Amino acid sequence: MVSVRMASIHESTTLKISAMAKKLAASGLDIIDMGVGEPDFDTPKHIVEAGCSSIRAGETRYAPTAGIPELRRAIADKLVRENSLPVTADDVVVTPGAKMAVFAAIQALIQEGDECALIGPSWVSYEPCVAFAGGSVAWGKVDDNFMPQNIAETINSKTRLIIVNSPSNPTGSVFNREVLEEIRDLAVDHNLAVISDEIYEMIIYDHEHISIGSMPGMEDRTVTINGFSKVYAMTGWRLGYLTGPKEPMKWVTRLLSHSVSQATTFVQRAGVAAMQGPQGEVASMVTEFRARRDMLVNGLKDLGIPCSVPGGAFYVFPNVSSLGGGDAFTDKLLKDALIAATPGSAFGPGGLDYVRLSYATSQSRIKEALQRIEKILR
Ligand SMILES: Cc1ncc(COP(=O)(O)O)c(C=O)c1O
């Protein structure tokens, strides 16, 4: 009954773990959920209000596939101002979540037999999206700080695409200009497309975010993706966007028109308010995330668990090879410490020795988690 292509797509480990953690919590267990990729903050009130007043005003009908003009303009302004991308509103396509933007961009760029290079442990959905398109993934190596090593080794005659995700989920690593230039040079030399998934752009500490699409030689080969979920705590609203060369964007829009149609109109109105309204809550959220990161990284190091200091996003990715490896330690965390985490293996073969812990949870819960980990290590 089921197509071979569908049968090859595995379940999202992060969503599976999140469902399991919720089920255990519902059964009365005091689970500390560090498996989720979702800010624990509420969507800022002015954003919620914009969405609600749009519904009240009767904006409940179909919208243009690529998004309402006001939001496309606001996004284009942001991309010019903050990312140095020379785009106009016509170059922007709004999607129901950045995940749909990733999916659609990959379908537009990859065909049967093509390869896509992923650099080290990478977000769980890239590989399935490539598989949906009939392609496969080549995994690039990274060093102990999750910086690319010999990316050229992953490129061959079948390679069509490199995906860059900085700051990274799951490692939190941020690529500096030098690293991005190396990727740019490879893309130009081998005539490759690049998808730059910048969803954690604003959640960054002491590092500069650089959009690879703004680098010379990249304008005609880069699809830049971003969204509202993480930065504005809007995961459930489902709002993302992408911009890129005209040809792939045309097919992305066609794919949307035959599948999801468009992002919900009143959600797009909330998106306009998010982009054009006060940004103070974003700044305080990032300050809080930084304090949590420091608490968790230092706490793990004090327990003798090696952990590189992430420059962005809200995850730590400690090496637990001396504790049985990522899969076994994740099981132990859940069974013995009631902590839900994600095994590094969910992010590709380079993640086997690691576990991903999200610090999108309060400092008091992080403190409690560290105490529970100390107990199971004793
Ligand atoms: C790297 C990365 N890209 C894209 C997404 C998708 O975000 P959205 O909620 O906008 O679909 C996520 C969400 O976890 C992510 O971590």
Side-chain angles (χ1 to χ4, degrees):
M1 288 285 284
V2 175
S3 75
V4 173
R5 187 169 287 179
M6 285 304 291
S8 71
I9 308 295
H10 52 76
E11 196 180 348
S12 160
T13 314
T14 43
L15 294 184
K16 192 168 98 186
I17 286 165
S18 162
M20 197 160 52
K22 284 198 174 95
K23 204 168 148 197
L24 288 171
S27 75
L29 291 172
D30 180 23
I31 300 288
I32 301 179
D33 191 355
M34 301 180 93
V36 286
E38 171 168 59
D40 53 324
F41 305 104
D42 292 331
T43 307
K45 285 204 170 49
H46 67 281
I47 301 176
V48 175
E49 194 39 51
C52 291
S53 52
S54 169
I55 299 180
R56 278 190 226 102
E59 290 190 308
T60 54
R61 297 177 189 273
Y62 290 132
T65 301
I68 61 171
E70 294 85 345
L71 182 58
R72 294 174 81 194
R73 266 200 302 275
I75 293 169
D77 288 349
K78 179 248 182 256
L79 291 172
V80 171
R81 194 177 60 238
E82 294 174 9
N83 305 89
S84 306
L85 295 176
V87 298
T88 67
D90 289 346
D91 303 312
V92 172
V93 174
V94 177
T95 52
K99 193 179 267 186
M100 190 63 202
V102 170
F103 179 79
I106 290 175
Q107 305 316 301
L109 294 169
I110 287 280
Q111 53 192 340
E112 206 77 41
D114 285 349
E115 272 190 23
C116 165
L118 293 181
I119 304 167
S122 298
W123 181 48
V124 290
S125 291
Y126 297 136
E127 191 185 20
C129 288
V130 171
F132 268 123
S136 59
V137 155
W139 297 94
K141 292 197 189 83
V142 286
D143 64 18
D144 288 347
N145 289 315
F146 308 111
M147 287 300 134
Q149 282 196 313
N150 305 323
I151 314 170
E153 280 178 5
T154 58
I155 313 290
N156 59 53
S157 59
K158 292 187 194 160
T159 314
R160 288 284 167 277
L161 174 66
I162 305 178
I163 297 184
V164 174
N165 173 219
S166 171
S168 152
N169 174 7
T171 67
S173 62
V174 176
F175 290 174
N176 61 23
R177 189 170 292 279
E178 221 180 330
V179 170
L180 293 172
E181 277 172 357
E182 195 188 332
I183 298 170
R184 186 266 316 268
D185 291 347
L186 278 172
V188 171
D189 289 351
H190 297 270
N191 194 22
L192 307 176
V194 169
I195 287 180
S196 181
D197 178 349
E198 306 185 1
I199 191 133
Y200 295 99
E201 169 192 16
M202 301 286 184
I203 304 171
I204 192 163
Y205 326 103
D206 307 323
H207 285 72
E208 181 196 8
H209 172 77
I210 300 166
S211 291
I212 191 169
S214 69
M215 292 182 156
M218 292 306 287
E219 56 282 355
D220 293 334
R221 59 179 76 251
T222 311
V223 173
T224 303
I225 294 176
N226 210 326
F228 294 73
S229 286
K230 318 288 175 177
V231 60
Y232 295 113
M234 290 177 72
T235 45
W237 293 73
R238 314 306 305 131
L239 193 61
Y241 58 90
L242 70 169
T243 188
K246 294 230 168 333
E247 196 56 21
M249 295 302 282
K250 181 176 116 188
W251 297 105
V252 160
T253 312
R254 195 161 298 177
L255 192 154
L256 296 174
S257 76
H258 288 301
S259 51
V260 290
S261 291
Q262 74 274 150
T264 313
T265 313
F266 45 84
V267 169
Q268 295 191 57
R269 287 278 178 223
V272 174
M275 286 207 143
Q276 295 180 340
Q279 303 296 308
E281 281 178 73
V282 176
S284 24
M285 196 169 71
V286 175
T287 305
E288 173 62 21
F289 275 141
R290 177 202 291 264
R292 296 173 183 182
R293 176 201 65 167
D294 293 345
M295 175 183 259
L296 189 51
V297 169
N298 294 334
L300 290 169
K301 282 186 180 162
D302 288 348
L303 294 175
I305 302 176
C307 182
S308 96
V309 182
F314 40 69
Y315 310 103
V316 294
F317 206 57
N319 187 317
V320 290
S321 51
S322 64
L323 300 168
D327 287 356
F329 192 64
T330 306
D331 276 355
K332 195 171 169 58
L333 280 177
L334 190 58
K335 282 197 199 107
D336 299 346
L338 300 181
I339 296 171
T342 311
S345 57
F347 306 97
L352 282 173
D353 286 341
Y354 299 85
V355 58
R356 189 191 77 173
L357 296 169
S358 158
Y359 49 89
T361 188
S362 68
Q363 292 192 40
S364 62
R365 293 300 269 170
I366 292 171
K367 210 164 159 190
E368 163 82 22
L370 286 165
Q371 282 163 0
R372 290 191 195 177
I373 296 172
E374 186 179 12
K375 241 185 230 160
I376 62 169
L377 292 184
R378 255 195 233 133

